[in-house]
Amino acid sequence: MSNKTILFISTHLINKAIISEYCKMSGMRNFDCILVIDNTKLQFPVLKDSPITYLNFYGKNVKCFLFDRKLNENLGLPMLAAHIDEPEFEDVMWANADYHFMYVRKFFPNYNYYWQFDYDIFCNGKTYQPFLKKYNKRKDDLVICNFRKESHTSGWSWLNGIDWLYKDWQLYGSFFPICRMSGRAIDFLYKKRLQYMSIYQQKFSTENRWPLCELFVPTELANNEFFCSTISENTIHLSPYNLNEERLFERPDKKLYHPVKSNNDPNALYYPNIKKYSIWQKIFSVSNIYKNLKKYKRIYLMFFKINITCDKSHF
């Protein structure tokens, strides 16, 4: 039997790439989907009694959850970041990605599982269904990238300054671009964040650090009898990619890629015709076709003239 699951993309910006990924998620059976937006700088209009609204982006009607510092304060979550003494709100969001789960859980409480995806995730296929299908019937409370045991002496920088909290604990690490948590795990972690805030204030020292989400979430859950597992390396590639160079969409493999972005091109993630694959696009890449055409001079010259005059961003 399928579990009731909600998917959300967490972002602080809007571009075609992000909306393209949202469209691949929305409309799938057994899954609801929202766009969770840090509205601090974007300033989209917010309904008076709810952070949930529909906004139109690039012709798509998108279900959005808008949050800012005020919502964080209403939930009582600490304005602390692991590596910064006086953090801005964006620093707090980066260091505490688990807060997003707590926001969504507050306003969408009737789900068994919650998936979070970073804004710079790319699904190299038409839909996220093949990826999600692998986990839909599993009961794990935490499914996350690179879940692993850590040692106090491993040299991982995020272990510095956490002895005030985890001195005698078995430590665990993770990587947060994609993560699923159960509702009960989110509720547990929310209580722990509030509990540790008072302890942190009592033991305040410039040498102590607020635990980063990639340490806090797996360590707390694994040490408190929650079921934890890692996302298979066969379904995700955790290496830098730029679609304007890699052209992954020409060879759809149904895997997820992170990070897929370019600081110089806001559309680097975006392929507008992702749902219009032909069998030839699956077999040949544009570069291979171009290379083979060089064998046939007249056809090659015709292709060359077309190539220099067309919009290559749609190849």
Side-chain angles (χ1 to χ4, degrees):
M1 183 176 179
S2 296
N3 298 299
K4 191 174 181 184
T5 302
I6 188 168
L7 319 173
F8 62 95
I9 299 173
S10 292
T11 185
H12 61 285
L13 54 87
I14 297 295
N15 59 29
K16 290 182 180 179
I18 294 165
I19 304 307
S20 176
E21 295 305 298
Y22 173 88
C23 290
K24 296 177 198 175
M25 291 184 186
S26 61
M28 294 189 301
R29 292 178 59 188
N30 302 320
F31 300 100
D32 292 330
C33 181
I34 57 173
L35 193 61
V36 174
I37 303 173
D38 182 348
N39 202 34
T40 305
K41 296 179 179 179
L42 297 177
Q43 295 292 301
F44 293 119
V46 181
L47 297 177
K48 196 169 186 179
D49 57 347
S50 174
I52 304 163
T53 188
Y54 283 87
L55 298 173
N56 190 285
F57 300 119
Y58 307 103
K60 302 294 183 181
N61 199 33
V62 177
K63 189 173 185 179
C64 300
F65 181 99
L66 306 176
F67 73 89
D68 55 20
R69 182 169 182 157
K70 184 177 179 180
L71 175 59
N72 195 74
E73 291 173 350
N74 289 342
L75 290 178
L77 288 165
M79 281 287 296
L80 298 169
H83 57 308
I84 300 175
D85 292 333
E86 297 181 4
E88 299 293 333
F89 186 63
E90 62 185 354
D91 302 318
V92 175
M93 291 300 95
W94 182 87
N96 304 281
D98 51 308
Y99 284 13
H100 298 157
F101 286 91
M102 298 165 194
Y103 299 163
V104 175
R105 175 72 169 166
K106 173 69 175 178
F107 289 88
F108 296 88
N110 299 319
Y111 289 86
N112 302 104
Y113 295 101
Y114 300 73
W115 277 102
Q116 175 175 246
F117 298 83
D118 273 1
Y119 70 96
D120 53 353
I121 288 287
F122 176 77
C123 173
N124 191 28
K126 296 181 181 181
T127 174
Y128 281 71
Q129 189 80 48
F131 171 80
L132 295 168
K133 187 178 180 181
K134 298 176 185 297
Y135 305 97
N136 197 31
K137 294 183 179 180
R138 288 173 53 170
K139 304 295 184 182
D140 307 61
D141 294 290
L142 175 68
V143 181
I144 197 167
C145 300
N146 198 18
F147 173 73
R148 65 195 185 276
K149 281 188 175 183
E150 277 289 345
S151 163
H152 286 267
T153 58
S154 69
W156 189 31
S157 62
W158 299 115
L159 299 181
N160 296 332
I162 53 86
D163 280 355
W164 68 272
L165 182 60
Y166 293 136
K167 185 175 182 179
D168 298 317
W169 288 51
Q170 169 61 63
L171 302 176
Y172 292 84
S174 64
F175 188 38
F176 238 87
I178 303 173
C179 176
R180 188 190 82 169
M181 281 197 250
S182 67
R184 77 185 191 103
I186 298 168
D187 295 342
F188 175 83
L189 293 173
Y190 176 55
K191 292 176 182 177
K192 286 295 181 180
R193 283 296 198 190
L194 299 184
Q195 175 188 343
Y196 292 157
M197 176 176 61
S198 60
I199 298 173
Y200 180 80
Q201 291 170 340
Q202 292 169 13
K203 296 185 177 182
F204 178 76
S205 165
T206 54
E207 295 180 358
N208 291 343
R209 279 185 174 180
W210 185 246
L212 185 80
C213 58
E214 293 177 350
L215 166 68
F216 168 77
V217 169
T219 296
E220 288 292 333
L221 295 181
N223 279 282
N224 286 282
E225 300 183 348
F226 288 86
F227 296 102
C228 306
S229 64
T230 193
I231 293 175
S232 170
E233 293 182 1
N234 294 326
T235 59
I236 182 169
H237 291 269
L238 301 175
S239 300
Y241 287 88
N242 182 330
L243 290 195
N244 286 352
E245 298 173 357
E246 301 290 340
R247 300 298 181 197
L248 298 176
F249 45 77
E250 294 172 3
R251 298 175 295 280
D253 55 15
K254 301 179 182 179
K255 295 181 180 180
L256 304 189
Y257 288 77
H258 174 274
V260 187
K261 60 183 178 180
S262 167
N263 292 332
N264 299 319
D265 186 349
N267 293 329
L269 282 159
Y270 176 60
Y271 180 55
N273 299 318
I274 193 70
K275 295 185 178 180
K276 297 182 180 179
Y277 296 129
S278 71
I279 186 64
W280 301 110
Q281 282 176 300
K282 294 181 180 180
I283 297 174
F284 301 107
S285 69
V286 171
S287 58
N288 283 339
I289 294 172
Y290 191 97
K291 183 178 180 180
N292 291 332
L293 281 174
K294 290 184 178 180
K295 298 177 184 178
Y296 307 98
K297 187 173 181 180
R298 289 181 62 186
I299 299 176
Y300 168 72
L301 291 174
M302 181 176 66
F303 181 83
F304 179 76
K305 289 179 181 179
I306 295 171
N307 182 48
I308 62 175
T309 58
C310 69
D311 182 358
K312 300 181 186 63
S313 67
H314 295 282
F315 276 8

